[in-house]
Amino acid sequence: MSMARNALLCLALLIGLALAGCSGSQTSAQEDEMEQYVTAFKSGSALSNTFSDNRAAGMKGISQNDRLALFIDDQTGTIAVLNKQSGEMWYSNPADRDKDSAAQGVNKALLSSQMNIEYYNNFGQSNSINTFTDSVSYKQVKYESIDQGVKVTYEFGTAKKSAADLPLMLSAARFKELSDKLDKTGKRALSIAYKEKADKSAYDRNDSALNGLQLDRAFKAFEDAGYTEEDLEKDMQELGFTQDKVIPRIFFASIEYKLDGDSLVVKVPQADIHAPSAYPIATISLLSFFGAGGKDEQGSMFVPDGSGSLIHFNNGKTQYPAYQQLVYGDDLTTKTVEDASYEQAVRLPVFGMIKEHGAILGIIEEGAAVAAINADISGKLNSYNYVYPSFTLTNKGLVTLTANNQERTLPHFQEDPLKTDFTVRYAFLNGSDANYPGMAKYYQQYLEKHDGLPAKQTESKTSDAPFYLQLVGSIAKDKHFVGIPYTSLESLTTFKQAQDMISQVQAKDIANIKLKYSGWFNGGLDHKVPDHIKVDGAVGGSKELKNLIAFAQEHNVTLFPDVAVLTANTGSDFNEKSNASRTLRGVVAELYPLDKALNRRDRTKSPSYVVSPRVVGDYANDIVKGMKGYQTGGISLRDLGSQLNSDYRKNQQVDRDESENISTSALNTIRQSGMNIMAQGGNAYALPFLSDITDAPMSNSSFKLEDEAIPFYQMVIRGYINYTGTPYNLTSYTDEREYILKSLEYGSGVYFEWIHEPNYKVKDTDNNGLYAVNYELWMDKAADIYHEVNDVLKHASNQPIASHEKLSEGVYKTVYANGFYVIVNYNSSQVQVDGKQLEAESYMTGGVQS
């Protein structure tokens, strides 16, 4: 048994060194570099007080313009921004935080911190440091004046040893061995430093007693007893604990604060982030309590969950977890996707704080691809309501090693941390704009100014609302011939049948049809990678596709053939070993089909693969080349506008920020070819290239902490991009009333997904999620829903949403830019609105109607 343990330990240590990604000499060089930073770091000279204001007592005026004034406390690093128009003062840290009796320990310290850093040790365990406890408290802060602002540089930690540098545990035998080597003073120091376990098998480190002189005496005792690194390794192996090697945990990071018109731009420069090689930084949380609302204040936090969501101050939901979501959803190379995720993704990198006399909108300008939005309410860790961004610099995976029938799991970190700066713009709103419609308007104008949206839509020949229709051409189906299994394409909707279905739809006076046709090339719905375009014979081949294109153009139907770019199915045209992304474990990133009955991945089926971002640009060029001969005028991108994945292939890493740039370039390539792009989901970086979005978020995730869903996403994009939610016949709506009301409130088009063949044709296939899609069952219902929605929304054709508000529980009013408004009542009973009776599950309209 001892030999087996030793073999496993040696194997773990050897591979652990390899996983660290650098040799001993490289580590030494990095530690020498850290020493240079320590030596070079000097507290800056006192900042000059450019101006002062009684509302910022004890703080120095740094920069101001006609809208804002920036102040800083050069003793604590706290900043404040004065909104001159409203007179509202916004602090990076609560002004009355010292009086908060709810916050204790580290939570108390975090209230005074501007940055919190989580880092890993060699065992993959997470630890944290913050600017207050680990920098300000040591007076290790440097201030520098910069154009329109100030730069604050922090040195975290100290080379001075702490209790954490002593062994976490000692066996009874080790304790006696050390004690026998010490004099009376040393014995006493050791007995204070360690407490015997109840079963007397070992001794635990007594951290509460290890302070000041007693800590010094404990270190001297270990030194006098001759305790070595080899002894620590033996103790860890024998007692089964892990502990850092004694290396100074000293980190550096800076925050730049600059005024820019009506905004404060806060940047953490990547070049100023330095950490010991043994302690890679996991995440950085920035200005966690900027503008935090107290327990006696009224207001809400805005979070970008799905279409948008509000968390009201002090809502009393202290039993529920804090809000946290990744911007742009999961990275499929780092997430173990064993079950279905029913939460809405974050599509926009924004968040906000709404108070009675003003509001702040946060816009993540750099680092959004690796950001998360966090929020929580008072009464849990402290007495404040707060929302803030955090950024992931280094991802961690796990590698399991086996030796002599024993296993040990070791951490494996990505090779290189993120190369981007982390920048957040805080816009200050007041008056009638200090609410979520004002935030949406500001962000819309911001995107427009920075080319983040396509050109604004103008009135077209028709004012009819769009009718989105997805037709599925063919799917792969397992069959048998004389007892021999084989897979072939099962036709569900041929190109000829599609023409007939469109004719029937138009015969019911459904107009402005936007046709998304999937399962048409390279092997059906789950097609092979688009490195070429070969139209499937099962649905009619190239000739019939061209006939469908001509038919669509003749009948004013916009055609969008559907293509997946970021997911690949196995086949001779895709080499997963070279072209699939790798996980942090170094293996190919696989995606197994979801068994909805069991709500987990079915590993008995063949997987698909996450396509490496390295080849996405080539696929975009291949799509443009392959589509050139068809002149469809449009293309549907199933995943390029909604997914964002990394590739952790050794020596060829593509991080998520780089992946965003690759996706943006690919979208631009396709758009520049002249095709209109319909995308699923619609992440912020994709918006400038899109004409239409399907599966746009039409609600939030209904997290317990949240209080209201809002159409923030729709308020940003309407008037620039057409959109719809998920197909009505595949949603959870039990009847059409709620779907119609939601379409009117959110300004959305109607959407159905159909096939020509009977529903049983998808039975016993990997596409059995298409359980209610035969068009004949839905044609009349689709016409009824479309006409009711269109009769209202045609009065707001291409009009942005100007405002949205909750009038009462279940009653909402949406006002469009031309003055036309809709009031919807989701309740099962009638309500009174402006003296008028609004029936149950109904709506009323008003304003300008053209």
Side-chain angles (χ1 to χ4, degrees):
M1 181 65 71
S2 177
M3 291 181 63
R5 282 184 175 178
N6 288 335
L8 182 59
L9 179 61
C10 289
L11 179 61
L13 291 173
L14 286 172
I15 297 185
L17 290 173
L19 293 177
C22 58
S23 66
S25 60
Q26 289 174 316
T27 302
S28 177
Q30 290 179 4
E31 299 307 334
D32 290 343
E33 186 179 11
M34 288 302 298
E35 285 294 328
Q36 294 175 15
Y37 293 131
V38 173
T39 302
F41 183 87
K42 296 178 181 178
S43 296
S45 57
L47 288 171
S48 59
N49 193 17
T50 307
F51 58 93
S52 60
D53 192 296
N54 292 333
R55 290 167 290 187
M59 307 183 81
K60 295 181 177 180
I62 297 300
S63 178
Q64 63 178 327
N65 56 34
D66 60 341
R67 302 288 298 275
L68 305 173
L70 173 64
F71 304 86
I72 192 165
D73 182 336
D74 59 2
Q75 300 302 307
T76 66
T78 300
I79 63 126
V81 177
L82 171 65
N83 185 339
K84 294 182 177 181
Q85 292 185 330
S86 67
E88 187 88 357
M89 186 74 78
W90 298 89
Y91 293 91
S92 61
N93 306 89
D96 57 351
R97 58 189 179 276
D98 291 338
K99 300 176 183 178
D100 183 10
S101 59
Q104 301 295 326
V106 66
N107 293 314
K108 188 78 169 181
L110 288 174
L111 291 175
S112 297
S113 175
Q114 294 82 48
M115 181 192 297
N116 186 63
I117 294 176
E118 289 193 10
Y119 65 91
Y120 297 116
N121 62 19
N122 284 328
F123 301 102
Q125 298 163 326
S126 178
N127 300 276
S128 66
I129 51 179
N130 64 74
T131 55
F132 179 75
T133 303
D134 302 280
S135 183
V136 171
S137 294
Y138 294 125
K139 300 187 183 301
Q140 296 170 172
V141 188
K142 180 167 65 176
Y143 300 89
E144 303 171 72
S145 294
I146 58 177
D147 183 37
Q148 301 299 315
V150 62
K151 178 177 181 179
V152 186
T153 302
Y154 300 92
E155 177 185 341
F156 298 83
T158 174
K160 184 178 179 180
K161 292 183 178 180
S162 69
D165 295 316
L166 292 172
L168 183 64
M169 298 173 63
L170 295 174
S171 67
R174 177 73 73 187
F175 185 89
K176 184 178 184 304
E177 174 192 335
L178 296 175
S179 184
D180 289 345
K181 296 178 181 180
L182 297 171
D183 59 17
K184 184 177 179 180
T185 302
K187 291 178 188 293
R188 176 172 171 75
L190 190 65
S191 65
I192 293 174
Y194 287 84
K195 286 185 175 181
E196 190 174 19
K197 285 179 173 287
D199 60 5
K200 299 186 178 182
S201 63
Y203 288 77
D204 286 329
R205 190 176 66 210
N206 184 16
D207 287 4
S208 62
L210 291 169
N211 296 294
L213 183 60
Q214 186 54 49
L215 179 62
D216 294 337
R217 287 173 176 170
F219 278 116
K220 188 175 188 305
F222 274 88
E223 182 180 348
D224 291 346
Y227 190 82
T228 65
E229 287 288 332
E230 290 74 18
D231 292 332
L232 177 60
E233 289 289 345
K234 291 178 182 178
D235 290 340
M236 286 194 293
Q237 180 185 357
E238 180 181 350
L239 298 175
F241 71 92
T242 57
Q243 185 168 333
D244 286 345
K245 181 182 176 182
V246 181
I247 298 173
R249 289 177 285 273
I250 299 177
F251 300 75
F252 292 88
S254 300
I255 305 178
E256 295 179 357
Y257 303 97
K258 288 186 176 182
L259 294 184
D260 181 17
D262 58 3
S263 304
L264 172 71
V265 179
V266 181
K267 174 181 288 190
V268 179
Q270 187 273 337
D272 291 343
I273 301 172
H274 304 290
S277 58
Y279 304 111
I281 293 177
T283 62
I284 288 179
S285 298
L286 183 62
L287 297 184
S288 300
F289 296 94
F290 194 17
K295 60 182 179 180
D296 297 321
E297 290 187 82
Q298 298 292 317
S300 301
M301 294 167 284
F302 157 63
V303 294
D305 173 20
S307 63
S309 193
L310 296 179
I311 302 171
H312 299 322
F313 288 1
N314 315 306
N315 63 16
K317 300 179 181 181
T318 55
Q319 71 272 37
Y320 299 122
Y323 169 85
Q324 183 181 66
Q325 276 192 295
L326 298 174
V327 176
Y328 304 144
D330 293 321
D331 184 330
L332 297 181
T333 63
T334 59
K335 181 177 175 62
T336 303
V337 190
E338 286 300 326
D339 55 7
S341 176
Y342 297 104
E343 70 179 50
Q344 298 286 328
V346 169
R347 300 297 180 193
L348 305 176
V350 291
F351 58 94
M353 182 70 69
I354 304 170
K355 293 188 175 182
E356 290 185 277
H357 305 294
I360 305 178
L361 173 66
I363 303 171
I364 302 176
E365 294 188 323
E366 294 180 285
V370 296
I373 307 300
N374 311 265
D376 210 350
I377 58 168
S378 66
K380 296 168 71 175
L381 303 178
N382 52 62
S383 298
Y384 298 95
N385 306 274
Y386 51 102
V387 58
Y388 65 94
S390 57
F391 303 91
T392 299
L393 280 73
T394 305
N395 285 288
K396 179 190 75 172
L398 297 174
V399 177
T400 301
L401 308 175
T402 303
N404 294 354
N405 296 320
Q406 295 190 52
E407 290 186 349
R408 183 171 180 181
T409 301
L410 295 177
H412 181 36
F413 307 108
Q414 67 182 68
E415 287 183 326
D416 302 305
L418 268 290
K419 303 176 182 67
T420 181
D421 295 335
F422 305 109
T423 304
V424 182
R425 176 180 296 270
Y426 295 89
F428 299 88
L429 309 175
N430 54 273
S432 61
D433 289 329
N435 46 44
Y436 66 85
M439 289 179 172
K441 179 182 177 182
Y442 185 96
Y443 186 52
Q444 183 185 77
Q445 293 173 343
Y446 169 87
L447 290 177
E448 191 174 39
K449 179 180 178 181
H450 292 84
D451 298 322
L453 288 170
K456 197 168 185 178
Q457 295 170 331
T458 57
E459 287 291 338
S460 56
K461 294 179 181 178
T462 173
S463 60
D464 292 307
F467 178 80
Y468 290 90
L469 177 60
Q470 179 174 357
L471 299 181
V472 180
S474 63
I475 59 173
K477 190 170 185 178
D478 294 332
K479 299 182 179 181
H480 293 81
F481 178 73
V482 293
I484 301 174
Y486 68 99
T487 301
S488 69
L489 288 183
E490 179 80 17
S491 173
L492 301 179
T493 311
T494 66
F495 295 132
K496 281 187 177 180
Q497 290 169 338
Q499 294 181 45
D500 179 61
M501 292 163 72
I502 292 298
S503 295
Q504 293 184 53
V505 169
Q506 291 186 326
K508 293 186 176 294
D509 294 325
I510 296 177
N512 198 7
I513 299 171
K514 295 177 181 288
L515 177 60
K516 177 180 179 179
Y517 194 102
S518 56
W520 62 278
F521 82 110
N522 287 18
L525 183 62
D526 297 321
H527 61 76
K528 298 175 184 178
V529 292
D531 58 354
H532 67 287
I533 301 294
K534 182 180 179 181
V535 183
D536 294 331
V539 290
S542 292
K543 181 178 179 181
E544 290 301 328
L545 172 59
K546 291 178 179 178
N547 289 338
L548 175 61
I549 294 168
F551 174 88
Q553 293 172 346
E554 181 181 350
H555 290 79
N556 295 317
V557 173
T558 312
L559 177 61
F560 297 90
D562 186 54
V563 179
V565 180
L566 304 183
T567 305
N569 297 286
T570 187
S572 58
D573 58 340
F574 182 75
N575 186 334
E576 59 266 25
K577 291 184 178 180
S578 59
N579 291 333
S581 285
R582 296 292 177 119
T583 69
L584 284 160
R585 294 174 54 231
V587 300
V588 170
E590 299 175 329
L591 300 172
Y592 284 89
L594 179 68
D595 185 330
K596 291 190 175 182
L598 299 176
N599 195 36
R600 61 179 174 81
R601 299 291 162 176
D602 187 351
R603 293 183 175 272
T604 65
K605 301 288 183 67
S606 297
S608 54
Y609 302 93
V610 179
V611 170
S612 171
R614 292 178 295 106
V615 298
V616 167
D618 293 336
Y619 288 164
N621 291 325
D622 293 334
I623 290 170
V624 170
K625 181 180 178 181
M627 296 293 291
K628 191 173 183 179
Y630 294 102
Q631 299 296 313
T632 61
I635 188 169
S636 167
L637 298 176
R638 193 182 308 172
D639 47 24
L640 194 56
S642 60
Q643 291 183 22
L644 204 57
N645 304 313
S646 306
D647 185 357
Y648 293 103
R649 183 180 297 271
K650 189 174 182 180
N651 300 323
Q652 297 183 59
Q653 173 184 292
V654 180
D655 63 44
R656 198 155 137 113
D657 182 72
E658 294 169 325
S659 181
E660 179 186 339
N661 293 331
I662 290 170
S663 291
T664 300
S665 178
L667 286 161
N668 185 56
T669 295
I670 296 170
R671 185 68 188 91
Q672 289 299 314
S673 71
M675 289 185 286
N676 288 324
I677 299 177
M678 172 187 289
Q680 185 171 309
N683 290 341
Y685 55 83
L687 297 181
F689 311 101
L690 307 183
S691 63
D692 295 84
I693 296 174
T694 65
D695 300 273
M698 296 291 288
S699 67
N700 60 13
S701 302
S702 298
F703 294 128
K704 296 292 187 182
L705 194 70
E706 298 173 329
D707 293 296
E708 291 183 41
I710 58 174
F712 187 93
Y713 186 88
Q714 286 73 15
M715 297 179 78
V716 171
I717 69 170
R718 199 173 202 278
Y720 297 82
I721 305 171
N722 294 307
Y723 57 88
T724 187
T726 53
Y728 170 72
N729 56 315
L730 293 177
T731 63
S732 59
Y733 291 110
T734 55
D735 62 59
E736 70 267 24
R737 293 312 304 164
E738 186 177 357
Y739 182 83
I740 290 170
L741 296 178
K742 181 68 74 169
S743 297
L744 299 181
E745 181 194 357
Y746 279 46
S748 168
V750 176
Y751 186 21
F752 279 81
E753 183 172 354
W754 291 341
I755 61 174
H756 186 275
E757 297 300 309
N759 288 326
Y760 71 79
K761 286 292 186 77
V762 301
K763 185 179 179 181
D764 299 324
T765 72
D766 289 339
N767 305 105
N768 54 17
L770 303 174
Y771 51 83
V773 287
N774 174 258
Y775 82 104
E776 292 178 309
L777 303 176
W778 292 104
M779 184 75 73
D780 291 338
K781 179 74 71 177
D784 292 342
I785 292 175
Y786 175 76
H787 289 312
E788 186 166 0
V789 171
N790 184 48
D791 285 347
V792 176
L793 290 186
K794 66 183 180 182
H795 299 296
S797 177
N798 299 324
Q799 293 293 316
I801 297 176
S803 68
H804 177 272
E805 63 177 317
K806 179 180 180 180
L807 301 180
S808 61
E809 192 63 39
V811 182
Y812 300 89
K813 181 178 182 179
T814 303
V815 181
Y816 294 91
N818 61 353
F820 177 74
Y821 68 81
V822 183
I823 300 174
V824 299
N825 175 21
Y826 290 99
N827 297 298
S828 57
S829 59
Q830 64 184 25
V831 296
Q832 292 290 320
V833 178
D834 295 333
K836 298 179 181 178
Q837 183 172 293
L838 181 55
E839 296 299 324
E841 297 183 327
S842 186
Y843 56 89
M844 63 172 59
T845 63
V848 177
Q849 299 191 31
S850 56

